[in-house]
Every structure is written in C-alpha cells, then in structure tokens.
Amino acid sequence: MTQPHLGLIVPPAAGAVPVDGPLLYGERIRFSARGLGLGEISTRGYLDVIDSVVEKAVALKDEGVSAVSLMGTSLSFFRGAAFNQQLEAEMARATGLPCTTMSNAVVGGLRHLGVRRVAVATAYIDEVNVHLRRYLEQSDIETLGLEGLSISDVQVVGQVPTQVLVDLCIKVFDAQPGADGVLISCGGLVTLDAVREVEARLQVPVVSSSPAGFWDLVGTAGLDPRLSGQGRLFA
C-alpha cells in the first residue's frame, strides 16, 4: 500500500514539518511543508504573507500531495470566518485537492468533542486574541476566559515550556466557571504533553492548534485520524 502524502503550508520561512506530525503519525503518513516566511505573529505579519498561500498550495500539489492544510491558526482566522472559508475554497479550486486550515481544525475539534463554551489559552498578543474571539463567536463557540502569552516572535513561540502552557490553561479555565473544554491556540506551540496533562487535571477535553491541525488534515484526506494515548480528540 502506498504511504499517504499530505501537504502543509507553515508560517516559518524554513518550511519544516512541525514536530507533531511525525510524533503522531510516524511512518504511517508522509508530510511535506512549504514555508510562508511569516515575520511576526501579528496582523501586519499576516498581511505580508497571506496572498502567497494559494501559490504554496499549488507547489505542494506539484510535489504529489493528496490534501493540503494551511497550518497557521491566526493566519486563517484573522479576517474572520467568511475569509477562512474563502481561502479554503481558493486553495481547493487552484489545486483540485481537498484543502483545509488550522482554524477549521480547532473549530472542528471543539465541535467533535461537544465543546460549545471554551476557555482559551493562546500565545498571542492582544490584537490577535481579539481576532480569535470574533472567529470563535462567528463559529457559534462561546469564549469564557481568554489569555495570551503576548508572543509575536515566530521562533520564540516554539520554545514555550509545557508547564507554562499547563498553568495558563488552568488559569483561564478557573477564571470563569462554565467552560466545557479548553482551546490552546497557536500552531507554533508544542503542546502534546500539555494536552494530556490538562485533560487529566481538569477532566475536560482540550483542543490544541497543531495536533488538531494534523487530525483535521488526515481526516480531510479521507484517512482515519484516530490514535491511542494522544488525548480525547484522537480517541
């Protein structure tokens, strides 16, 4: 049987496959990535690169992938839900392939787990958190507590320790009672360990951008995304 080959459009210029893909799907699936060269995690940064997303999708098609995801949450939500849908449609039209985005992934993950009221922990500065709150609202998900780490540096975001993420998740969950799940938003955060720990401690589902992005892309490609031991989303 041929190994499935899936494509990722990632914010950093280097175009490396995020660590979660191989950690989650190992030898089962091959991933290829193309980088956008995002300069900073901000509206200004997104505007500099958003117009090259479709061309990166076409380049991945030419490499032989069978589905493509824009693996940047804020890149796909910063202009709202309608723009996210339009971007997905443009990628699909240009490539003839099933396409998705990380913003689809986090909302799809929350819906899959029955989460309608969510506590949100992010890497973002305040202006990006405002965009996220609006996107979730447009997607019929109520945001309760929300706090970011105020990071705009694309490299720094991958160095945030697990314990910092766990502490932030617990803080936002406790800040306003009533959340039935937690969202960790920013595809650059390394979160697999944090997801498992927060689910164990709070006993609610946790959806995180990068793992959800891979779960969503694998499903979009028509493959089975389920895995054991990787949290509720993959169960």
Side-chain angles (χ1 to χ4, degrees):
M1 184 177 146
T2 312
Q3 184 188 37
H5 183 196
L6 307 182
L8 317 167
I9 303 165
V10 297
V17 173
V19 294
D20 290 346
L23 286 172
L24 289 165
Y25 292 103
E27 300 302 308
R28 281 174 48 187
I29 298 171
R30 176 184 165 207
F31 297 100
S32 292
R34 289 291 177 110
L36 289 168
L38 182 69
E40 62 179 41
I41 305 169
S42 69
T43 303
R44 183 173 61 190
Y46 310 143
L47 290 171
D48 285 343
V49 300
I50 195 69
D51 290 341
S52 60
V53 167
V54 172
E55 127 198 357
K56 301 292 182 187
V58 171
L60 286 161
K61 180 201 177 179
D62 292 344
E63 279 187 51
V65 305
S66 59
V68 177
S69 178
L70 172 56
M71 295 285 277
T73 333
S74 49
L75 266 166
S76 42
F77 70 58
F78 84 103
R79 281 177 165 163
F83 175 77
N84 176 59
Q85 290 173 343
Q86 178 190 332
L87 189 59
E88 178 196 332
E90 286 177 10
M91 290 162 61
R93 193 160 51 241
T95 61
L97 299 174
C99 291
T100 187
T101 71
M102 205 173 250
S103 291
N104 289 341
V106 296
V107 165
L110 292 168
R111 288 175 176 159
H112 177 74
L113 294 166
V115 176
R116 288 289 182 272
R117 308 179 78 209
V118 69
V120 185
T122 83
Y124 309 134
I125 58 176
D126 289 344
E127 72 166 46
V128 181
N129 286 328
V130 170
H131 296 319
L132 175 58
R133 187 184 286 273
R134 184 186 65 202
Y135 173 75
L136 291 172
E137 190 178 290
Q138 291 169 345
S139 305
D140 296 320
I141 292 166
E142 183 182 353
T143 303
L144 299 182
L146 186 154
E147 188 171 324
L149 295 170
S150 297
I151 298 171
S152 58
D153 187 302
V154 178
Q155 303 309 318
V156 169
V157 78
Q159 299 160 16
V160 176
T162 294
Q163 192 58 51
V164 169
L165 294 171
V166 171
D167 291 346
L168 183 59
C169 287
I170 291 168
K171 182 181 178 185
V172 294
F173 184 79
D174 289 345
Q176 195 173 337
D180 43 25
V182 174
L183 170 63
I184 305 172
S185 187
C186 182
L189 293 169
V190 179
T191 61
L192 288 175
D193 292 339
V195 168
R196 288 190 291 263
E197 187 171 338
V198 174
E199 286 192 338
R201 288 177 64 173
L202 297 180
Q203 295 298 301
V204 296
V206 178
V207 172
S208 176
S209 287
S210 183
F214 283 99
W215 169 85
D216 173 64
L217 175 58
V218 170
T220 296
L223 306 168
D224 185 352
R226 290 175 295 179
L227 297 164
S228 62
Q230 295 295 349
R232 298 194 194 186
L233 181 61
F234 291 90

